[in-house]
Amino acid sequence: MIWASSVLASPGTSIVIGSKNFLENRLLAEMFAQLIESHTALTVERRFGLAGTQICFQALTNGDIDLYPEYTGTGLVTILDEPAMQDPSAVLNHVRSEFRKRWDLWWLAPLGFDNSFALALRRDRAEALNIRTITDLVGAAKHLKAAFGFEFIQRADGLRGLKNLYGLEFEDVVGMQQSLKYEAADKGDVDLLDVYTTDGRLAVYDFVVLEDDRRFFPPYDAAALVRGETLEQHPELSKILSLLTNALSPERMRELNFRIQEKGETIPQVAYEALHTLHLVKETQQTTATTTKESTSFFSYMWEQRTMLRVRTGEHLWLAGIGLLLGIALALPLAFILERWRSGAETMIRIIGMSQTIPSIALLAFMIPLFGVGALPAIMALWIYSLYPILRNTFSGLRDAAPSVVETGRALGMTEWQILRSVRLPLAAPTIMAGIRTSAIWTIGTATLAAFIGAGGLGVPIVSGLQLADVRVILSGALPVTILALIVDGLLGWIERFVRPRGLEVSK
Amino acid sequence: MKNTCALEVQHLSVRFPDGTYALQEIDWEVHQSETMAIIGESGSGKTTLLRLLNRLAEPSSGHVFIQGHPAIDQDPIALRRRLGYVPQDGGLFPHWTIRHNVCLVPQLLEWSIEQQYDRFTTLLPLVNLDPTVIADRFPIELSGGQRQRVAIARAIAADPPIVLLDEPFSALDPLTRHELHEQFLILKTQLHKTMVLITHDITEAFRLGDRITVLKDGRIHQIGTPQELLTSPATPYVASLIEHHSGLQQ
């Protein structure tokens, strides 16, 4: 259960390893982690599944993580924003010198495989239309349905660049999660998809990988990208990570990916076995529980994962709870102020209401430059999301509380403050509590986004499950979230009975 | 304060933002211990007139005097605590017990708890309610008539010299209304308070008012005793009101 142990150790004795949110990257990160753990006394903290290149890279430059597995082509095109080059060593040398100069970041020696993008077409379509290269595809593209990864659609070394170079135009392009694309293509809902050349599923699904005849895609050699500061503090790291230089061939990588994707083996297991085969780790007892996709029922899977789920549930409650408490602490006083200052109230509430419509990923992207990755930006985002229901309900509750009663209180000589405290507030209490309940459920649901920025929580199994296309893993995160929301709502409903003033309904 | 009117209004106008008048050039006075009924349709300005007295509204021009003193010179909060008030729907605080409701103004005036409780016990029989039975109930547990009695008790709890009543009986069924009218007349003779009673019911105005003010479209058509109104209506509008009233009598 190393997966779940995110120990907070003092700086200097621990290093933080990040990964992007797809399997191969997680696997490489896990291999780095186990390698370092077995060769040093350092504590390794795992911040896996960060949502995309930008978030990973931001986290690295911020110092929230010390290293993560990156690909040279991505460094060149996505991060440096430069045109693609074809010679692998030229790309490597270029990113090496640029990254060192600009950010003091170091590319260690490549691991030995190039995980490039490629376009894959269902074999039946490829044969019917006689398509083998991307150039062949251009004429037929209008009649094909394509599903691409979200990042691929936006990247210069993705669809945008492909369109420019080859002049590709599709009838319909949908954005889809990596693992879902394969199933959609298999079912015939889509014809064409972007694939990683080391993806294990290429061995299972019957696709034709189209030849990049105009050499559009740059080489994507995988390597560890490390902060210069970290290497200064722990000079041994560079030597240890170099043990993996050229250790992984494309075939080997495809096989390892395949075992996770299709055989249901866990990432720590596969990472360990890969290192063990290379004689890079000592024998340990951690390979005991080998689970495969079909072997266990959902509930026995949950039972096996109970330690991890307990930790994730704890993290989840903590994140959502702090977010909600902060939300209450800000929204309640703000509503009181706005109730006094009516003229600006609606505008203010609408502005805060708009924050609800910001997609969570976009909000996180704004947060990361300010707060880095981890719990802090997640809590900040949850805080923002929790505000609106509490603010709106408290304001409306206070404003609309029994107008004729409020007027009578005023006519009998109560001050506005006395009216607020003794009349408006108690009469608004049930409405305010309803707002807090809405917000609590919303916050618990939204806290799953924490997984995208390495803050843990029950979103972690959900995101991994999505990548594995394994419903069981998704449910192992989603079910506790639902139960948590129900319990918290019940609890708040119970509290509401004490807050609701007597006399509002006939007692039995 | 020799011979001062309890309430007096001079050259008073209230203009809406659109330039029309809620009240226009009103001169009006209420004598000590007198019950003045104000009758008018909705939109006649009668509620505005009442709100000017306890400074829930301010005049555009003219003057309001309470017990001979300009209202404008008085702290509105302190002033309101010296003016009893009964709204149409009782306006009881739904989350407070009856005793808590009745003792609102004494509590605001920081009477001791014993004083408040004593007052509650002596007051409720005056409005024909049993203090021991009703003290800890909530308004929702009472009938409409009982609630209105409680509202009257609350208005006079701190013994204000003046009581303002804004259509206090209009939401009640005829039988209950009749009962409360009787009660009101008894109270009137017992307590000698100056009262302003707003109504849109001419029968009620005739029954309860010592004098009657007839308001229409922000102007006073007539001020007089019921007898004066009956014998010499000042305008055709007053005459039509009287006709309606005598029509009801038969």
Side-chain angles (χ1 to χ4, degrees), chain A residues 227-369:
Chain A
R227 287 170 64 80
E229 251 172 58
T230 311
L231 290 176
E232 256 166 56
Q233 274 178 346
H234 307 289
E236 72 276 20
L237 280 185
S238 119
K239 205 185 300 166
I240 294 163
L241 290 170
S242 297
L243 293 172
L244 284 171
T245 306
N246 285 325
L248 298 165
S249 67
E251 294 71 30
R252 178 75 173 135
M253 205 57 224
R254 206 170 293 143
E255 183 222 317
L256 295 176
N257 284 335
F258 177 75
R259 283 167 57 186
I260 301 165
Q261 288 162 338
E262 295 299 319
K263 291 249 183 96
E265 293 180 49
T266 67
I267 291 174
Q269 252 169 46
V270 173
Y272 171 77
E273 281 170 31
L275 291 173
H276 188 62
T277 321
L278 293 164
H279 306 290
L280 292 178
V281 287
K282 287 167 239 92
E283 200 82 47
T284 61
Q285 69 281 26
Q286 68 167 339
T287 46
T288 43
T290 21
T291 55
T292 52
K293 248 183 181 174
E294 291 77 19
S295 68
T296 47
S297 75
F298 173 60
F299 289 103
S300 52
Y301 175 77
M302 292 276 284
W303 179 248
E304 276 166 22
Q305 300 293 316
R306 64 192 180 279
T307 317
M308 180 275 279
L309 288 175
R310 201 160 53 222
V311 173
R312 293 300 178 210
T313 306
E315 288 168 345
H316 202 91
L317 260 182
W318 188 75
L319 292 169
I322 299 285
L324 182 67
L325 285 179
L326 287 172
I328 294 172
L330 179 62
L332 280 188
L334 188 59
F336 277 80
I337 292 167
L338 293 179
E339 196 276 325
R340 296 280 82 209
W341 181 60
R342 298 273 179 88
S343 57
E346 275 305 321
T347 319
M348 185 79 184
I349 292 174
R350 262 189 223 134
I351 290 171
I352 288 174
M354 268 173 353
S355 72
Q356 296 265 299
T357 64
I358 305 173
S360 44
I361 288 289
L363 187 62
L364 289 175
F366 298 139
M367 294 277 159
I368 284 163

Side-chain angles (χ1 to χ4, degrees), chain A residues 189-203:
Chain A
D189 293 335
V190 299
D191 308 308
L192 185 78
L193 60 163
D194 64 300
V195 295
Y196 301 127
T197 49
T198 50
D199 197 310
R201 284 167 292 207
L202 286 174

